[in-house]
Amino acid sequence: MAGVAVGGREEARLALEAAKRAFPVWSSMPAEERSEVLREAARLVRQRRDEIARLLTLEQGKPLKSSRSEVLSAADVLDYYAEEGKRNTGQWLAGPHSRSIVLWQPIGVAALITPWNYPVDLLSWKVAPCLAAGCTFVSKPPSLAPLAATEFVRAVSDAGLPAGAANVVHGPGGTAGAELVESPISRKIAFTGETATGRAVMAAAAARIKRISLELGGQSPFIVCADADLPAAAASAAHRAFSNMGQICVSVNRIYVADEVAEAFTDQLVSLAESLKIGDGMQPGVELGPMFSSQQREKTKEHVADALERGAELLAGGSEPEGEEFSRGFFFRPTVLGRADHSMRVMREETFGPVAPIMKFKSVQEAVALANDTEYGLAAYVYTGSLKTAMQVAEGLEAGGIGVNVNSVIDRQAPFGGWKQSGLGRELGRWGLEAYLETKHIRVGVWKE
Ligand code: NAD
């Protein structure tokens, strides 16, 4: 058992005030010195990897190996921004009677609000550029998975930050989270979570025209063309649909497969789904742990039941695994559905569970139209052997990240974010740093001969 103090509006306000007091100290440090602190933070996170990863598996459910990778990835993000922060250079422009200097300066105090599916990694995407830019922050980890995120911030704070530069407040989104968004102290809101919550955050931030970044829900399509490398496509789809029990914003949610290869692809996906080892995430060799909560598992079951009622065919999974070892924990078998169509919730809503519905297509144009038939636009994937098809499909897909013959659209150096209802703004790369900077133009009159 572990516990955290539950904060509310007052605790959030106190934390914001601490961050405000620390801002002049941290923002006026040379970027080189801030970089050294971030490097030390990365070192401490790596040193405490096992302790943070253990907490992450115990509170979230993912296998220990995945938790360790998540913690190491967060350390890498800190290292990346230790360097990127040094590249915040200005511009100089010469006018006929003046000179213009353009600066990018830290916005001020940032509120960092994160979800439970990658509580450490997603927080690092905010903490690292925020600090590298010279901002201070108050973070609010997810209410049901606060431990690993808190230990991550503790490691960052131990690296030599001025007192009050890094803060954590625990508590419900509706009180502690809302105060972080509404308070006049926070100048920037970086939020990752559900689209519905993002809308509420955006509306509250509008009252003070705050700078916001929103990383919201997804409903990602995966297109398998007739000329695709089928074993690679099937392995890739299985991995991205089932890992972390499908509780990933860029998870594969809908598979569109060319008619002529549908049977072969489906057979391979089904056998991969059935071969994955489910169990306690603390045990070695386990590939899929339990789902995060009973609510998440119920929603997944409802989506599967809805699809079956509407004519889908159950090809794998669809229920809890049997056996004593699965009696505690929200386990669910990776599920493959055939004959899916767009009347089904699983094809339209974000299931956030390990379900891979398959629909056949006749032409690549049809596949792109089906892929875009959604209010979301976070990630989309295509597998094909043709460069021409790859480019045509990639340019036609409405999403912030397109994976061509690869099942991840995440690269620390590249922008990550959503189109349509999947978000606003970008994280990672130089775009992630810009999100914490304001532009200033200094115009200097020059004496004319
Ligand atoms: P959620 O929206 O329920 O909660 C996210 C965070 O917001 C939590 O810390 C919560 O306490 C807080 N919150 C809730 N109401 C708030 C309010 N009114 N004001 C301020 N803060 C508030 O999301 P979740 O269930 O924790 O996470 C799952 C969702 O996150 C999924 O929809 C998933 O797609 C999305 N997600 C998106 C990305 C991305 O990068 N686009 C990444 C991971 C997860």
Side-chain angles (χ1 to χ4, degrees):
M1 283 286 279
V4 292
V6 179
R9 284 191 178 265
E10 179 59 8
E11 287 71 20
R13 194 181 58 73
L14 291 171
L16 285 166
E17 279 172 2
K20 188 180 174 184
R21 283 193 297 276
F23 178 69
V25 185
W26 180 245
S27 60
S28 60
M29 267 169 78
E32 284 280 352
E33 285 176 31
R34 287 203 298 261
S35 169
E36 279 169 28
V37 176
L38 284 170
R39 286 243 178 254
E40 174 62 7
R43 194 189 67 77
L44 287 176
V45 169
R46 284 192 191 98
Q47 192 184 61
R48 299 178 194 178
R49 177 196 73 167
D50 288 349
E51 182 192 333
I52 302 175
R54 189 176 154 272
L55 290 172
L56 182 52
T57 291
L58 289 174
E59 67 183 342
Q60 202 274 350
K62 66 184 65 172
L64 199 52
K65 194 175 158 206
S66 308
S67 295
R68 287 196 184 116
S69 310
E70 179 168 342
V71 177
L72 290 183
S73 165
D76 290 345
V77 173
L78 289 164
D79 268 340
Y80 177 85
Y81 281 104
E83 292 307 309
E84 195 61 28
K86 290 192 248 175
R87 290 189 275 270
N88 176 19
T89 52
Q91 287 183 1
W92 183 87
L93 310 156
H97 309 298
S98 65
R99 297 293 178 265
S100 290
I101 302 161
V102 186
L103 302 181
W104 282 274
Q105 292 184 309
I107 290 178
V109 174
L112 313 180
I113 303 174
T114 44
W116 49 262
N117 60 338
Y118 285 88
V120 176
D121 206 14
L122 293 174
L123 185 54
S124 76
W125 293 13
K126 296 172 170 47
V127 164
C130 168
L131 292 175
C135 295
T136 56
F137 72 84
V138 181
S139 58
K140 199 207 80 63
S143 307
L144 295 179
L147 302 175
T150 304
E151 289 310 308
F152 169 73
V153 177
R154 191 191 306 281
V156 171
S157 179
D158 287 351
L161 284 171
N167 302 275
V168 178
V169 59
H170 298 118
T175 54
E179 181 65 23
L180 296 183
V181 176
E182 292 164 19
S183 161
I185 297 178
S186 60
R187 299 256 181 95
K188 158 85 192 182
I189 314 299
F191 172 86
T192 300
E194 278 188 33
T195 294
T197 322
R199 271 191 206 107
V201 166
M202 190 170 176
R208 289 186 181 270
I209 320 283
K210 289 196 185 181
R211 305 319 184 232
I212 50 171
S213 310
L214 301 173
E215 298 287 357
L216 308 177
Q219 229 293 359
S220 308
F222 186 99
I223 298 174
V224 184
C225 298
D227 60 1
D229 172 345
L230 287 190
S236 166
H239 179 258
R240 190 52 68 219
F242 304 136
S243 61
N244 206 24
M245 292 302 278
Q247 302 164 128
I248 313 183
C249 54
V250 290
S251 191
V252 167
N253 302 104
R254 297 171 278 148
I255 299 175
Y256 301 104
V257 54
D259 233 344
E260 49 271 57
V261 294
E263 202 180 321
F265 172 84
T266 304
D267 287 349
Q268 291 181 41
L269 185 66
V270 166
S271 89
L272 287 165
E274 285 171 344
S275 70
L276 290 167
K277 184 168 165 51
I278 311 173
D280 175 353
M282 297 299 283
Q283 298 305 318
V286 164
E287 293 167 288
L288 300 178
M291 295 190 73
F292 180 62
S293 64
S294 82
Q295 198 188 356
Q296 246 359 94
R297 185 170 65 176
E298 279 315 303
K299 185 178 173 195
T300 304
K301 283 189 194 168
E302 280 170 24
H303 279 204
V304 171
D306 169 80
L308 295 178
E309 266 168 40
R310 291 172 193 273
E313 185 185 2
L314 184 63
L315 301 172
S319 59
E320 291 96 337
E322 283 171 16
E324 179 53 28
E325 70 267 40
F326 302 115
S327 59
R328 286 180 69 235
F330 310 111
F331 294 98
F332 198 73
R333 289 160 65 211
T335 300
V336 181
L337 300 171
R339 292 202 303 257
D341 66 47
H342 280 212
S343 72
M344 300 166 186
R345 291 178 71 187
V346 79
M347 299 292 274
R348 287 183 286 110
E349 300 173 25
E350 189 182 37
T351 306
F352 233 50
V355 184
I358 302 175
M359 182 172 176
K360 294 184 203 172
F361 68 82
K362 289 199 176 358
S363 73
V364 169
Q365 289 75 8
E366 182 196 358
V368 173
L370 285 166
N372 288 340
D373 180 23
T374 170
E375 62 175 9
Y376 295 105
L378 192 55
Y381 310 91
V382 54
Y383 270 70
T384 173
S386 149
L387 182 60
K388 188 173 159 202
T389 307
M391 288 311 296
Q392 281 172 348
V393 173
E395 287 184 11
L397 288 168
E398 298 172 350
I402 312 292
V404 177
N405 295 333
V406 67
N407 71 355
S408 170
V409 294
I410 296 171
D411 178 335
R412 262 186 293 286
Q413 304 182 79
F416 178 85
W419 285 23
K420 303 197 273 189
Q421 304 291 294
S422 287
L424 199 67
R426 293 293 179 271
E427 293 192 302
L428 299 180
R430 67 178 166 82
W431 300 267
L433 186 73
E434 284 167 9
Y436 295 88
L437 296 168
E438 272 288 20
T439 308
K440 182 182 281 174
H441 169 206
I442 303 174
R443 185 159 183 254
V444 184
V446 290
W447 182 70
K448 261 183 90 194
E449 291 291 336

